[in-house]
Amino acid sequence: MDGRELVRSMKVVGSVQGLRAVRSAWRQWRTDAREPAPRGPERARVPGPVTGAERMPGGGTVRFARAELHVCVTVGGAVFWGWDGARPLPSYALDEASPGPDPRAGLEPDKDGGWRVVSERVTVAVSRHGAVEVRTPGGVLLRRELPPRWWERAPGGPARWVQRSEVPADARFFGLGGRASGPRLRDGVYRLWNTDPGGRFGPDDDPLYVTMPVQLVVADAGTHLAFYDNSWDGRVVLREGEEGAGSGHDRPGGSELRMDGGPLRCWVVTGTPARVLHAWTALSGAPTPPPAWALGPQHARWGFGSEREVRRIVAGYRERDLPLSAVHLDIDHYDAHQVFTVDRERFPDLPGLAKELRADGVRLVSIVDPAVKAERGNAVYDSGSAVGAFVRDGRGREVRGVVWPGDCVYPDFTDPLVRDWWGGLYEERLAQGFAGVWHDMNEPVSFAPFGDPTLPRSARHRLEGRGGDHREAHNVYGLAMARAGFEGLWRLRPEERPFLFSRSGWAGMQRYGGTWSGDVSTGWPGLRASLSLVLGLGLCGVPYSGPDVGGFDGSPSPELYLRWFQLGAYLPLFRTHAAIDAGRREPWEFGAEVLEHARAALAGRERLLPYFVTLAQLARLTGAPYARPLWWGAPEDRALRDCEDAFLLGDSLLVAPVLERGVERRGVRLPRGRWYDTVTGEAYEGPGQVVLDAPRSRIPVLARAGAVIPVRGEDGGCVLEVWAPADGRPGGGLVVRDPGDGRGEPEVERYTSRLVDGEVVVERVGHDGAVEPDWEVRVRGVRRG
C-alpha cells in the first residue's frame, strides 16, 4: 500500500481509529510471522500410474502409485470425487448429509488401463494417470480434469495443489460467487477469498464479499456445475476456448484452480440449467424464502440519526403515495457502535417506533456486525468471554482487530456452542421490535492501512471440533454467522420465518437467507455491476439478492438514480441505501420527474408481488433463481450466452434495463417464441434482436406468450394475468399463494393456457383433471394466429 492509500484508510476510519488500525495490522503481521510456520522445502507429487481399484456402490476407489481417488455417482445423478481419502463430509456447503450412492452404478474397466462409472445420466471415466472425464450418456465430453499436482511441505502440514480442467471450445463460464465483472466470466484470474474492497467497488474490483468455488459452464454439449468443496484461499484462472476455422483444431477452454491447502474434492452435476440448479440446491440446501413483506420496497441509510428522521422518511413515502415495506437502521442507531445496543438519546423508544411503523405496514430491520467491543462492562463481551466465544491465537490469547467500536474481538462461529450463544443475543433485537437483520462486516473485517483487512491467518478456530486456523475458516465465517443468526431467530420466534441477509457467505448460504451487493460504487459501471452480481449469485444457488439502489457512495444524477431504481424494482431484494456522506436517496430528492417515474416503478413492483412470492417459493422447491440469464431456457443459443444486459424474471418476463447514460431506445435479444411488450401489447417473435423504446418513464419489460402470471388487482386481490398464446403453442405457469411467515408448506398450482377458436382458454391442472381457475382471469396481448 502506498502513502495515498494509507491516508485514505486513515480518513475512512478516523484519526484515532486509524492509529488503532495501524497497531492492529502490526499485531497481525507479528502473529503471522510466528504462525503458521514458513512452508520451507516442498516436494511435488502427481498420482502416477494406476495400480488397482476397489468397487463400491455408485463407484469405487482407484489407486495410483502415489495417490488414490474415490469416485461416486449418487442417486440423483450428481458425481463426487475426492483425492487422498477426501470424502463428502465434513462440509460447510452440504445440507446435513450427502446423497447416497446409485446402487445401479459401479466401477468397471475402461480402455487403456483406466476405469469408468456408467450411470443413467452421466458417465465418469478415470484414465490410467489420474485424469477424470465427465461425459453425457451419449459420450459427449463436458469436462476433463487433468491429473492434479500437490506441493507437500517436507516438515508436514497442509499441501497446496493445482487442478487444471478443460471444457469444450464453445463453453462459457459463470458463477464463482458474486463477481462484479460478470455474469459471464471472461479470461482472467479470480481469487477465492471473501474481501471487503474498502469503501466502494466497480466492475474491475475482485474479489468481493462472497466468493465460491462454484463454476457453472454452458456449452453446446450441455450445462454442468462443478463445485470444489474447499474453503481455503485460492485462485481460479479461466481461459475461454477457441473454435478452429475450417479444418483447424479447436482449442478447449480451460480452468486452473490453485488452493493453498485443504482437500481436493469435487462435485459435478449435469443437465439443463434448471436441472443443474435443482441438483445443486439438493446438495447445498434449499433457499429459505423471505417473508412476503421482504419482497416489497425497502429503504436504508447509514445516518438516519434519530427516530424523528425515520418518521419523517416514512411519512414522506406515505404523503407521496409511495409503497414502503421496511426501513433498515445502520450502525448509527447503536450506542457507540456497539452491537446489540441502542443510542437512547437519539432513539429513546425504539420498540414504540417499531410498533407504530408496523401498524402502518412498515417493518424495522437492524444491522448486526460480528465485531464485539473488547471492554469489560460491555455485556456482550462479558458474556462471550465467560463461554470462551472469541477467536484466539496460537498462544490462547484473544485475537483483536479494529472495527467501528474500536478494539474488538470476534466470535468463533465455527463452534456450535458459540453459535447457540450468539443466536440467543438476537432476543434483544426482537425486543426492540426489529422484524429482520442484515449482517455486515462479516468477511470478517479488521480495518488495516496495509495488508489483508481481516484476522491473522494463524488465528485459531474450532471448525466444528476439528480445529484449524483462519486460512480454512475465513471464507465460511460469514456463512457460519448467518447460521447462528438464522437458527437463533427460529428458536426465539418459531411462528415467524426469519428475515436475514448477509454481506459475506459461502456455498450453501441460501439456507439461511440472501445477500446484497455491498458497497457498490455510484456510477453507470456500478449499475451494470449490480445486475452482474445478482445473476452470478443466482447461478451459484443464492436466489435472493439485490444492490444498493443508487450506489453506496457519492451522489447519483437524477437519470442514474432513476435507471437504478427501475432495475431494482425487478430484482429480488429491492433496497435503496447510501453511505453517511452520500446524501439522501428518497425518490422525491431528485425532482418531480424522477418522483413520478419512481412511483410508477414502485406501483409495478407492488403489482407483481404475488409473482415474486411465487418465485420465492419455487426457488425453495427447485433452486431456480428469480433473476435468470436469457439463456436459461435455451443454453444452446450462443447469442444468448453472451447477452449480459437483460434477464428473465422467472419463466414469464424479460426485463431489459437501461445501463448507459442518455439511452431511450435499446436493442433486446429475444429467446425463441413470441414476446409481448407489457406496455404497448405489441408482439415480437424470437429468436432475434429487436429495438424497443426505453423512455425515462420505464424500461422495456416483455411477457412470454401463453404466460400465466399472478398479479395484484386494483382492489388488492390477486388476478391471473394471461398473455395470449400463439396458435398451436400452448403456455402456462405456476402459482404459489403467500403461505404466511411460518413453516407451512405452500401449495403449487399449475395452470395451462391455449388458443381455441380464437379464444384463450385457461385451466388449472388438478389431481382429477383440468378445472376452472378460482382466481379472476384477465387476458392480455395481441390475439392472432
Side-chain angles (χ1 to χ4, degrees):
M1 171 174 284
D2 61 23
R4 288 175 300 174
E5 290 174 308
L6 178 58
V7 170
R8 183 179 65 85
S9 177
M10 297 281 284
K11 181 180 179 182
V12 168
V13 299
S15 58
V16 175
Q17 296 288 58
L19 292 174
R20 289 173 173 166
V22 171
R23 291 199 301 269
S24 175
W26 176 252
R27 287 197 302 266
Q28 175 178 330
W29 180 85
R30 286 193 307 169
T31 300
D32 280 343
R34 290 190 297 265
E35 299 181 68
R39 295 197 65 88
E42 295 178 316
R43 63 172 180 265
R45 174 169 63 92
V46 295
V50 68
T51 60
E54 179 184 355
R55 295 179 176 87
M56 301 176 187
T61 299
V62 182
R63 295 186 177 87
F64 300 86
R66 291 177 291 277
E68 69 174 33
L69 172 68
H70 177 72
V71 181
C72 181
V73 178
T74 67
V75 172
V79 179
F80 171 82
W81 65 78
W83 286 92
D84 292 345
R87 293 295 190 268
L89 298 175
S91 169
Y92 278 98
L94 300 192
D95 187 18
E96 296 183 356
S98 61
D102 183 347
R104 300 169 297 174
L107 270 182
E108 58 186 55
D110 199 9
K111 60 184 179 181
D112 298 328
W115 294 83
R116 68 178 182 177
V117 182
V118 180
S119 70
E120 181 181 1
R121 293 177 176 173
V122 67
T123 295
V124 184
V126 180
S127 79
R128 61 191 178 97
H129 289 293
V132 180
E133 293 184 352
V134 178
R135 296 181 175 273
T136 68
V140 179
L141 179 69
L142 294 175
R143 189 179 191 89
R144 175 184 290 116
E145 303 270 320
L146 303 177
R149 191 179 188 90
W150 295 266
W151 286 268
E152 298 171 326
R153 298 169 54 187
R160 58 189 180 93
W161 51 263
V162 60
Q163 175 67 73
R164 295 182 176 91
S165 310
E166 294 179 349
V167 296
D170 66 288
R172 295 289 182 262
F173 293 99
F174 301 87
L176 296 183
R179 304 287 170 170
S181 60
R184 172 185 162 194
L185 302 178
R186 290 168 170 79
D187 295 2
V189 181
Y190 301 87
R191 191 179 177 195
L192 298 170
W193 187 255
N194 293 348
T195 302
D196 176 7
R200 61 182 180 180
F201 69 87
D204 296 331
D205 291 299
D206 189 90
L208 299 176
Y209 314 98
V210 182
T211 66
M212 298 182 197
V214 177
Q215 296 180 18
L216 192 129
V217 183
V218 183
D220 288 353
T223 301
H224 75 271
L225 180 147
F227 167 58
Y228 298 91
D229 195 349
N230 184 316
S231 63
W232 285 61
D233 190 3
R235 283 172 172 78
V236 181
V237 181
L238 297 181
R239 186 194 72 246
E240 292 184 345
E242 185 175 315
E243 293 182 290
S247 60
H249 294 290
D250 287 353
R251 178 174 63 81
S255 166
E256 178 183 282
L257 174 61
R258 290 183 176 268
M259 302 298 292
D260 287 349
L264 174 43
R265 55 184 178 176
C266 183
W267 287 92
V268 172
V269 292
T270 66
T272 64
R275 185 185 178 281
V276 165
L277 264 294
H278 191 194
W280 169 233
T281 51
L283 286 171
S284 60
T288 293
W293 61 263
L295 294 168
Q298 306 177 49
H299 187 83
R301 190 203 300 168
W302 178 13
F304 274 121
S306 67
E307 289 185 10
R308 180 179 179 182
E309 178 67 4
V310 173
R311 287 190 175 92
R312 187 188 74 83
I313 295 302
V314 173
Y317 272 86
R318 292 294 178 255
E319 291 166 2
R320 295 167 177 85
D321 194 28
L322 304 174
L324 181 66
S325 293
V327 170
H328 297 213
L329 299 189
D330 212 314
I331 55 174
D332 53 288
H333 87 279
Y334 282 133
D335 181 11
H337 295 157
Q338 296 183 70
V339 68
F340 300 118
T341 65
V342 176
D343 185 329
R344 299 295 180 183
E345 291 188 7
R346 293 182 294 158
F347 292 87
D349 184 16
L350 198 50
L353 174 66
K355 183 177 180 180
E356 173 189 327
L357 295 182
R358 185 176 286 226
D360 202 22
V362 179
R363 269 78 168 179
L364 278 184
V365 177
S366 171
I367 191 173
V368 173
D369 288 354
V372 175
K373 186 174 179 62
E375 181 178 74
R376 292 297 175 187
N378 173 9
V380 178
Y381 178 71
D382 291 343
S383 66
S385 297
V387 298
F390 303 118
V391 175
R392 296 179 179 271
D393 63 18
R395 298 183 178 185
R397 301 172 301 184
E398 291 176 347
V399 171
R400 298 199 175 189
V402 175
V403 200
W404 302 116
D407 288 332
C408 292
V409 291
Y410 299 80
D412 182 5
F413 297 115
T414 69
D415 184 339
L417 296 178
V418 175
R419 289 198 295 269
D420 287 345
W421 163 75
W422 184 264
L425 298 177
Y426 288 75
E427 184 174 12
E428 182 272 342
R429 295 286 88 184
L430 295 177
Q432 298 295 343
F434 288 106
V437 296
W438 51 296
H439 289 171
D440 205 349
M441 308 293 286
N442 59 337
E443 287 70 35
V445 172
S446 174
F447 294 140
F450 52 85
D452 201 355
T454 188
L455 305 187
R457 292 180 174 236
S458 58
R460 306 299 298 172
H461 292 265
R462 288 284 296 169
L463 289 168
E464 317 306 318
R466 304 190 311 276
D469 60 37
H470 197 66
R471 293 174 297 175
E472 182 179 358
H474 175 85
N475 281 336
V476 297
Y477 189 88
L479 170 73
M481 181 187 179
R483 178 179 179 180
F486 181 85
E487 292 177 347
L489 290 169
W490 259 134
R491 290 195 306 268
L492 293 167
R493 193 163 291 177
E495 72 280 3
E496 291 188 16
R497 186 165 62 253
F499 176 53
L500 183 151
F501 60 103
S502 172
R503 191 171 81 170
S504 182
W506 202 61
M509 65 182 296
Q510 72 276 357
R511 300 192 296 264
Y512 314 116
T515 184
W516 89 104
S517 67
D519 302 341
V520 61
S521 63
T522 296
W524 293 96
L527 171 59
R528 185 175 290 272
S530 297
L531 179 57
S532 299
L533 287 162
V534 173
L535 293 177
L537 286 162
L539 295 175
C540 291
V542 185
Y544 183 78
S545 68
D548 283 346
V549 168
F552 178 72
D553 64 318
S555 299
S557 67
E559 181 189 6
L560 174 60
Y561 177 82
L562 177 61
R563 292 309 194 186
W564 217 318
F565 202 89
Q566 291 167 334
L567 168 63
Y570 290 96
L571 297 178
L573 172 60
F574 182 20
R575 177 180 99 142
T576 58
H577 186 47
I580 194 168
D581 58 350
R584 292 172 174 166
R585 292 284 173 80
E586 295 76 44
W588 55 88
E589 299 289 346
F590 293 87
E593 181 187 19
V594 170
L595 174 61
E596 177 187 356
H597 300 331
R599 181 183 291 112
L602 286 169
R605 174 70 173 220
E606 289 291 289
R607 183 173 173 275
L608 285 175
L609 187 59
Y611 187 51
F612 274 96
V613 169
T614 292
L615 295 178
Q617 294 298 328
L618 292 178
R620 181 179 74 84
L621 295 172
T622 69
Y626 311 25
R628 310 165 186 178
L630 291 186
W631 50 258
W632 177 263
E636 70 283 355
D637 188 331
R638 295 190 179 188
L640 293 181
R641 289 183 215 159
D642 296 337
C643 182
E644 302 176 284
D645 61 354
F647 63 97
L648 298 175
L649 183 61
D651 283 332
S652 300
L653 296 178
L654 189 159
V655 182
V658 173
L659 304 177
E660 297 177 356
R661 180 188 294 109
V663 170
E664 297 202 5
R665 281 176 64 82
R666 59 150 296 173
V668 179
R669 174 69 61 177
L670 298 181
R672 63 176 176 263
R674 179 175 295 173
W675 296 86
Y676 295 99
D677 187 310
T678 56
V679 172
T680 67
E682 188 171 352
Y684 302 92
E685 293 292 336
Q689 177 112 351
V690 297
V691 177
L692 300 178
D693 289 335
R696 290 285 187 96
S697 59
R698 63 182 177 89
I699 58 176
V701 178
L702 296 98
R704 190 189 301 271
V708 179
I709 306 173
V711 300
R712 178 175 286 176
E714 290 79 2
D715 60 355
C718 288
V719 174
L720 292 182
E721 185 172 86
V722 182
W723 290 88
D727 191 19
R729 286 187 264 171
L734 302 177
V735 176
V736 183
R737 306 188 194 217
D738 182 6
D741 293 342
R743 302 174 187 251
E745 286 295 321
E747 180 184 359
V748 179
E749 302 173 11
R750 184 182 299 274
Y751 292 87
T752 61
S753 65
R754 53 197 173 93
L755 205 59
V756 179
D757 297 329
E759 296 294 326
V760 176
V761 176
V762 180
E763 296 174 316
R764 178 179 175 183
V765 180
H767 297 295
D768 300 321
V771 297
E772 290 291 324
D774 55 2
W775 289 14
E776 179 185 351
V777 175
R778 295 180 185 172
V779 176
R780 297 188 64 189
V782 178
R783 303 183 196 179
R784 64 183 183 186

Short mmCIF file of all heavy atoms in Angstrom, two decimals, residues 248-272:
data_model
loop_
_atom_site.label_atom_id
_atom_site.label_comp_id
_atom_site.label_asym_id
_atom_site.label_seq_id
_atom_site.Cartn_x
_atom_site.Cartn_y
_atom_site.Cartn_z
N GLY A 248 -9.27 -26.38 -39.00
CA GLY A 248 -8.40 -26.15 -37.85
C GLY A 248 -8.93 -26.83 -36.60
O GLY A 248 -10.12 -27.12 -36.46
N HIS A 249 -8.03 -27.09 -35.66
CA HIS A 249 -8.41 -27.76 -34.43
C HIS A 249 -9.00 -26.76 -33.44
O HIS A 249 -8.60 -25.60 -33.38
CB HIS A 249 -7.18 -28.44 -33.80
CG HIS A 249 -6.64 -29.57 -34.61
ND1 HIS A 249 -7.30 -30.76 -34.77
CD2 HIS A 249 -5.50 -29.68 -35.33
CE1 HIS A 249 -6.59 -31.57 -35.54
NE2 HIS A 249 -5.48 -30.93 -35.90
N ASP A 250 -9.93 -27.24 -32.63
CA ASP A 250 -10.45 -26.44 -31.53
C ASP A 250 -9.42 -26.32 -30.43
O ASP A 250 -8.66 -27.27 -30.16
CB ASP A 250 -11.71 -27.09 -30.95
CG ASP A 250 -12.91 -26.96 -31.86
OD1 ASP A 250 -12.81 -26.26 -32.88
OD2 ASP A 250 -13.95 -27.58 -31.56
N ARG A 251 -9.40 -25.16 -29.77
CA ARG A 251 -8.62 -25.02 -28.54
C ARG A 251 -9.60 -25.03 -27.39
O ARG A 251 -10.43 -24.13 -27.26
CB ARG A 251 -7.83 -23.71 -28.53
CG ARG A 251 -7.02 -23.49 -27.25
CD ARG A 251 -6.15 -22.26 -27.32
NE ARG A 251 -6.90 -21.03 -27.48
CZ ARG A 251 -7.50 -20.37 -26.46
NH1 ARG A 251 -7.43 -20.84 -25.24
NH2 ARG A 251 -8.14 -19.25 -26.69
N PRO A 252 -9.58 -26.05 -26.53
CA PRO A 252 -10.58 -26.14 -25.46
C PRO A 252 -10.44 -24.98 -24.47
O PRO A 252 -9.36 -24.39 -24.31
CB PRO A 252 -10.28 -27.48 -24.80
CG PRO A 252 -8.86 -27.76 -25.12
CD PRO A 252 -8.62 -27.16 -26.48
N GLY A 253 -11.55 -24.68 -23.81
CA GLY A 253 -11.48 -23.73 -22.71
C GLY A 253 -10.79 -24.37 -21.52
O GLY A 253 -10.71 -25.60 -21.40
N GLY A 254 -10.27 -23.54 -20.63
CA GLY A 254 -9.51 -24.07 -19.52
C GLY A 254 -9.80 -23.38 -18.21
O GLY A 254 -10.17 -22.20 -18.16
N SER A 255 -9.68 -24.14 -17.13
CA SER A 255 -9.80 -23.63 -15.77
C SER A 255 -8.65 -24.20 -14.96
O SER A 255 -8.39 -25.41 -15.00
CB SER A 255 -11.14 -24.06 -15.15
OG SER A 255 -11.13 -23.86 -13.75
N GLU A 256 -7.97 -23.33 -14.24
CA GLU A 256 -6.89 -23.77 -13.37
C GLU A 256 -7.21 -23.29 -11.96
O GLU A 256 -7.34 -22.09 -11.72
CB GLU A 256 -5.54 -23.20 -13.82
CG GLU A 256 -4.38 -23.59 -12.91
CD GLU A 256 -3.07 -22.96 -13.34
OE1 GLU A 256 -2.47 -23.47 -14.30
OE2 GLU A 256 -2.69 -21.95 -12.72
N LEU A 257 -7.34 -24.21 -11.04
CA LEU A 257 -7.64 -23.89 -9.64
C LEU A 257 -6.42 -24.18 -8.79
O LEU A 257 -5.94 -25.32 -8.75
CB LEU A 257 -8.84 -24.72 -9.17
CG LEU A 257 -9.20 -24.62 -7.68
CD1 LEU A 257 -9.56 -23.18 -7.31
CD2 LEU A 257 -10.35 -25.56 -7.35
N ARG A 258 -5.93 -23.16 -8.10
CA ARG A 258 -4.79 -23.31 -7.18
C ARG A 258 -5.27 -23.00 -5.77
O ARG A 258 -5.77 -21.91 -5.51
CB ARG A 258 -3.65 -22.38 -7.57
CG ARG A 258 -2.94 -22.76 -8.86
CD ARG A 258 -1.77 -21.83 -9.16
NE ARG A 258 -1.05 -22.29 -10.35
CZ ARG A 258 0.00 -23.12 -10.32
NH1 ARG A 258 0.44 -23.57 -9.15
NH2 ARG A 258 0.59 -23.48 -11.44
N MET A 259 -5.10 -23.97 -4.86
CA MET A 259 -5.52 -23.80 -3.48
C MET A 259 -4.32 -23.89 -2.55
O MET A 259 -3.40 -24.70 -2.78
CB MET A 259 -6.55 -24.87 -3.11
CG MET A 259 -7.80 -24.87 -3.98
SD MET A 259 -8.78 -23.34 -3.90
CE MET A 259 -9.41 -23.43 -2.22
N ASP A 260 -4.35 -23.10 -1.49
CA ASP A 260 -3.24 -23.07 -0.54
C ASP A 260 -3.24 -24.23 0.44
O ASP A 260 -2.31 -24.38 1.23
CB ASP A 260 -3.27 -21.75 0.24
CG ASP A 260 -2.84 -20.57 -0.61
OD1 ASP A 260 -2.33 -20.79 -1.73
OD2 ASP A 260 -3.01 -19.42 -0.15
N GLY A 261 -4.28 -25.04 0.42
CA GLY A 261 -4.37 -26.19 1.31
C GLY A 261 -5.76 -26.77 1.25
O GLY A 261 -6.60 -26.36 0.44
N GLY A 262 -6.02 -27.74 2.12
CA GLY A 262 -7.34 -28.32 2.19
C GLY A 262 -7.53 -29.46 1.22
O GLY A 262 -6.67 -29.75 0.38
N PRO A 263 -8.68 -30.14 1.29
CA PRO A 263 -8.92 -31.32 0.47
C PRO A 263 -9.14 -30.99 -0.99
O PRO A 263 -9.64 -29.91 -1.34
CB PRO A 263 -10.19 -31.92 1.08
CG PRO A 263 -10.92 -30.74 1.66
CD PRO A 263 -9.84 -29.82 2.16
N LEU A 264 -8.78 -31.94 -1.84
CA LEU A 264 -9.09 -31.86 -3.27
C LEU A 264 -10.28 -32.77 -3.51
O LEU A 264 -10.13 -34.00 -3.62
CB LEU A 264 -7.90 -32.26 -4.11
CG LEU A 264 -8.09 -32.37 -5.64
CD1 LEU A 264 -8.90 -31.22 -6.20
CD2 LEU A 264 -6.76 -32.48 -6.33
N ARG A 265 -11.45 -32.19 -3.55
CA ARG A 265 -12.68 -32.94 -3.75
C ARG A 265 -13.63 -32.09 -4.58
O ARG A 265 -13.60 -30.86 -4.51
CB ARG A 265 -13.32 -33.34 -2.42
CG ARG A 265 -13.59 -32.18 -1.48
CD ARG A 265 -14.12 -32.65 -0.14
NE ARG A 265 -14.33 -31.52 0.77
CZ ARG A 265 -14.88 -31.64 1.98
NH1 ARG A 265 -15.26 -32.83 2.42
NH2 ARG A 265 -15.04 -30.58 2.74
N CYS A 266 -14.47 -32.74 -5.35
CA CYS A 266 -15.28 -32.02 -6.32
C CYS A 266 -16.63 -32.70 -6.51
O CYS A 266 -16.73 -33.93 -6.47
CB CYS A 266 -14.54 -31.95 -7.66
SG CYS A 266 -15.38 -31.01 -8.96
N TRP A 267 -17.65 -31.89 -6.70
CA TRP A 267 -18.97 -32.34 -7.11
C TRP A 267 -19.26 -31.80 -8.50
O TRP A 267 -18.93 -30.64 -8.80
CB TRP A 267 -20.05 -31.82 -6.17
CG TRP A 267 -20.10 -32.46 -4.82
CD1 TRP A 267 -19.46 -32.05 -3.69
CD2 TRP A 267 -20.85 -33.62 -4.45
NE1 TRP A 267 -19.75 -32.88 -2.65
CE2 TRP A 267 -20.61 -33.86 -3.08
CE3 TRP A 267 -21.69 -34.49 -5.15
CZ2 TRP A 267 -21.19 -34.92 -2.40
CZ3 TRP A 267 -22.27 -35.55 -4.47
CH2 TRP A 267 -22.02 -35.76 -3.11
N VAL A 268 -19.88 -32.61 -9.35
CA VAL A 268 -20.32 -32.16 -10.67
C VAL A 268 -21.75 -32.62 -10.88
O VAL A 268 -22.08 -33.79 -10.61
CB VAL A 268 -19.42 -32.71 -11.80
CG1 VAL A 268 -20.02 -32.40 -13.16
CG2 VAL A 268 -18.01 -32.11 -11.70
N VAL A 269 -22.59 -31.69 -11.33
CA VAL A 269 -23.96 -32.04 -11.71
C VAL A 269 -24.17 -31.57 -13.15
O VAL A 269 -23.63 -30.54 -13.57
CB VAL A 269 -25.01 -31.42 -10.77
CG1 VAL A 269 -24.93 -32.06 -9.41
CG2 VAL A 269 -24.83 -29.92 -10.64
N THR A 270 -24.94 -32.32 -13.91
CA THR A 270 -25.12 -32.07 -15.33
C THR A 270 -26.60 -32.02 -15.69
O THR A 270 -27.46 -32.48 -14.92
CB THR A 270 -24.44 -33.16 -16.17
OG1 THR A 270 -25.13 -34.41 -15.96
CG2 THR A 270 -22.98 -33.32 -15.78
N GLY A 271 -26.89 -31.46 -16.86
CA GLY A 271 -28.27 -31.43 -17.36
C GLY A 271 -28.62 -30.07 -17.90
O GLY A 271 -27.75 -29.26 -18.24
N THR A 272 -29.91 -29.77 -17.97
CA THR A 272 -30.36 -28.44 -18.34
C THR A 272 -30.02 -27.49 -17.19
O THR A 272 -29.79 -27.92 -16.06
CB THR A 272 -31.86 -28.42 -18.57
OG1 THR A 272 -32.53 -28.73 -17.34
CG2 THR A 272 -32.27 -29.43 -19.64
#
